[in-house]
Amino acid sequence: MLSNQSPYQEQFHSLLDQLRDEIDALKDEIEELNAENKQLRSKLEEIKDGQTDIYSAISESERLSMRHQVLGLIAKIDNHLEQETEES
């Protein structure tokens, strides 16, 4: 341990004070970040609650119609690809 007479005592205490100040600043920053994190999580939860998936937002008949359209497009693409391979 440093004696009261030590020439390094003042420097030691100065560095110790700087370290304490830095620790306090980091604690404050952690508090701020935790508060911001909590706010962001709340906003995310609000957004998530407000969303519905595409299928629950449309009726059964609309779903069937969409499925029919998609299957029709797939059939057209398949026909087009088959014609290209026959021509090659």
Side-chain angles (χ1 to χ4, degrees):
M1 186 77 185
L2 298 174
S3 70
N4 289 340
Q5 307 288 326
S6 171
Y8 300 107
Q9 184 177 11
E10 187 175 321
Q11 183 181 6
F12 173 79
H13 286 289
S14 173
L15 291 171
L16 189 60
D17 288 341
Q18 288 177 15
L19 187 59
R20 285 183 183 133
D21 291 343
E22 187 66 28
I23 289 171
D24 288 341
L26 289 171
K27 284 180 181 178
D28 290 343
E29 187 175 351
I30 287 171
E31 263 184 52
E32 291 171 13
L33 289 171
N34 282 336
E36 184 179 351
N37 189 25
K38 186 176 179 180
Q39 289 174 340
L40 290 172
R41 286 180 185 268
S42 293
K43 284 182 183 179
L44 180 63
E45 203 58 41
E46 281 178 33
I47 291 170
K48 202 186 284 186
D49 289 342
Q51 290 181 335
T52 58
D53 65 47
I54 188 170
Y55 296 108
S56 64
I58 59 176
S59 69
E60 182 68 25
S61 61
E62 289 172 316
R63 274 186 240 156
L64 290 173
S65 173
M66 187 184 303
R67 178 186 164 109
H68 180 70
Q69 288 175 353
V70 169
L71 291 175
L73 289 172
I74 291 171
K76 285 181 183 180
I77 292 169
D78 286 343
N79 288 338
H80 179 74
L81 292 175
E82 285 176 12
Q83 287 175 357
E84 282 189 3
T85 52
E86 289 174 2
E87 291 174 2
S88 301

